[in-house]
Amino acid sequence: MTSVAGEAWFRDEALQRALSLLNADGGEGRVVGGAVRNSLMGLPVADIDIATTLLPEAVVERAAAAGIKAVPTGIAHGTVTLVIDGKPFEITTLRRDVETDGRRARVAFSEDWQADAERRDLTINALYASVDGEVLDLVGGLADLERRNIRFIGDAAARIAEDHLRILRFFRFFAHYGSGRPDADGLRACAAARSKIAALSAERVWSEMKKLLAAKDPGRALLWMRQVGVLTEVLPETEKWGIDAIPALVTTEQALGWPSDPLLRLAAIVPPDAARLAKLAERLRMSKAEAACLQAWANMPAIKDDMSEAAFDRLLYRHDASGVVARLKLALAIARGKAEGDFEEMARAARLGKLLERTTKWKRPAFPLGGADALAAGIAAGPRIGEVLGKLEQEWLDGNFAMSRAKLLARLKDLASA
């Protein structure tokens, strides 16, 4: 018997209290999905979801009687969140699909665990853990988990027709948990339905892609997405650019301890074209911060690895540091990828590494003058102030930030009287 009863997360007092509440008086509740899957794979368990035979109103009533906070986060679809000792547990009534259109589903509540399992997407996501910790597998998920096989439940095309986002989820879960070649039926179904991705909300598409790109190594998933035409549907910008930079970037991240950065990985597979990336960010409804990060990278000129420290400091002053870091990381990854047996690339990688280290420690100096100084020098309010201060700032920059405020004020006085 497969069990999670001995796992620390399962023995947690708050979870046990939730399960006791749901399994009393004829009700039944089981932990389902990611917590069970990750636990069996030896991975960290974060969110804990519970499926129950109880109707959502009954869950709320039981929680109220027990003094537990219940939040109706999705009560129309059977979901209530219980907050116990500050920990949230999403409780969802067993369901069966009544009607689906590829984006939304109309469901009916049920007490049938088999039907609830079969309406889910992937076999490894339909594992349940009973109140005593026994793992219950109704769709062959344990065998797939053992083989790290990502497989749709039942007919792959039917599962995708219910929710087109499952195309991206298939590849996302393959990136995080899969091994070898993706399931053939799943690949064929994703290829056949890839045009349906256009009907999904941009927010859902970007959310899935961001999670995929955050995997320890998304390279194989991206390769198969490209092979079956899915990547072009989502990111047409990659079509003529390619994904060849990903292996070297992932290897470098792991060797140097960089965090998995979805935006940096996205930058590695799209051209550094500011206008196109602005459209990409708008199309995928990226946040302002994400869009700005891509623009900072795209607007950053290529960095010469042999430039002097003074010249590099001037470059840092003129450009967003995040763009500089992205450029350097991608260039360093490429150099490291070519470095084996190539002493020039090894030396280039070393120089790029030093520039990257300098960037992380660099603090932008403040230009010593401001508009008030220009007014005090007798320059009338208007565009000339900006022109004069811009000229002085360039002189200060060309002098490697060495000109003192006193010297700058003297130059300001000269320019004001000219």
Side-chain angles (χ1 to χ4, degrees):
M1 180 185 74
T2 304
S3 174
V4 294
E7 301 295 330
W9 68 269
F10 189 79
R11 299 196 312 269
D12 178 76
E13 185 176 335
L15 173 59
Q16 286 301 312
R17 190 177 171 195
L19 289 174
S20 296
L21 181 80
L22 299 171
N23 283 276
D25 302 322
E28 186 174 9
R30 301 174 181 173
V31 179
V32 63
V36 183
R37 178 197 66 228
N38 282 22
S39 185
L40 294 177
M41 297 184 78
L43 299 172
V45 171
D47 298 334
I48 299 176
D49 298 329
I50 302 174
T52 180
T53 56
L54 298 174
L55 293 174
E57 294 79 10
V59 174
V60 172
E61 289 174 6
R62 290 192 181 200
I68 294 173
K69 181 180 180 181
V71 183
T73 44
I75 199 163
H77 292 88
T79 300
V80 175
T81 299
L82 300 185
V83 182
I84 305 174
D85 298 338
K87 300 174 182 178
F89 299 97
E90 197 170 88
I91 317 297
T92 302
T93 302
L94 302 190
R95 298 177 293 181
R96 59 181 177 83
D97 290 331
V98 174
E99 182 181 352
T100 60
D101 65 2
R103 288 177 295 173
R104 295 170 295 270
R106 188 162 62 87
V107 301
F109 298 139
S110 166
E111 294 185 357
D112 186 339
W113 290 98
Q114 186 71 41
D116 185 75
E118 290 176 353
R119 71 172 297 278
R120 296 176 183 271
D121 55 1
L122 304 168
T123 60
I124 65 169
N125 292 337
L127 297 170
Y128 302 87
S130 65
V131 67
D132 60 3
E134 179 183 359
V135 175
L136 304 165
D137 177 15
L138 305 175
V139 291
L142 285 174
D144 286 329
L145 203 64
E146 181 71 23
R147 299 194 305 270
R148 299 179 75 89
N149 182 41
I150 308 305
R151 182 170 63 87
F152 285 107
I153 295 169
D155 182 74
R159 295 290 79 73
I160 289 173
E162 293 163 355
D163 183 354
H164 304 318
L165 192 68
R166 288 173 172 174
I167 298 171
L168 299 182
R169 284 174 62 82
F170 176 77
F171 291 104
R172 192 246 291 186
F173 280 90
F174 180 75
H176 283 272
Y177 307 110
S179 179
R181 180 190 173 97
D183 176 72
D185 289 340
L187 272 180
R188 281 192 293 270
C190 288
R194 63 185 183 274
S195 64
K196 302 295 185 181
I197 293 172
L200 296 169
S201 75
E203 291 86 354
R204 294 180 80 199
V205 170
W206 173 231
S207 176
E208 281 299 320
M209 282 303 300
K210 191 158 48 171
K211 291 173 184 175
L212 187 157
L213 289 168
K216 183 178 180 181
D217 183 357
R220 292 176 304 115
L222 290 171
L223 176 62
W224 285 107
M225 289 176 74
R226 173 175 283 291
Q227 292 280 73
V228 300
V230 170
L231 189 61
T232 299
E233 286 289 333
V234 181
L235 294 171
E237 295 82 3
T238 67
E239 181 63 23
K240 294 182 179 180
W241 194 254
I243 59 174
D244 295 344
I246 289 293
L249 176 58
V250 169
T251 300
T252 300
E253 287 172 342
Q254 294 174 1
L256 301 183
W258 298 347
S260 299
D261 183 345
L263 280 175
L264 182 64
R265 289 163 171 191
L266 177 62
I269 62 176
V270 294
D273 182 321
R276 290 188 70 188
L277 293 184
K279 292 179 180 178
L280 181 154
E282 182 179 359
R283 186 181 76 242
L284 294 181
R285 300 290 191 271
M286 290 184 177
S287 69
K288 290 182 179 180
E290 291 167 341
C293 187
L294 282 181
Q295 285 298 305
W297 167 73
N299 288 318
M300 182 67 224
I303 300 173
K304 295 181 179 180
D305 57 275
D306 59 351
M307 67 195 313
S308 68
E309 289 184 351
F312 185 64
D313 285 350
R314 291 194 294 271
L315 180 144
L316 282 170
Y317 182 83
R318 286 299 192 195
H319 295 277
D320 189 301
S322 67
V324 178
V325 168
R327 282 281 179 176
L328 286 173
K329 283 187 171 182
L330 291 176
L332 176 55
I334 292 170
R336 283 176 57 89
K338 297 177 179 178
E340 187 173 353
D342 188 326
F343 293 108
E344 285 189 14
E345 289 296 339
M346 290 173 62
R348 182 168 182 267
R351 291 192 295 270
L352 288 167
K354 288 181 179 179
L355 292 178
L356 182 59
E357 183 179 3
R358 187 174 184 83
T359 303
T360 60
K361 295 178 179 178
W362 191 77
K363 296 188 183 301
R364 192 176 192 273
F367 180 53
L369 301 185
D373 296 308
L375 290 170
I379 300 176
R384 178 156 169 72
I385 287 181
E387 294 171 5
V388 171
L389 290 179
K391 178 178 177 61
L392 289 174
E393 184 180 27
Q394 187 60 52
E395 291 181 14
W396 174 72
L397 189 59
D398 291 340
N400 297 323
F401 318 104
M403 287 180 70
S404 66
R405 174 174 165 80
K407 288 184 178 180
L408 285 166
L409 285 171
R411 282 285 296 131
L412 176 62
K413 185 177 180 180
D414 291 342
L415 291 174
S417 60

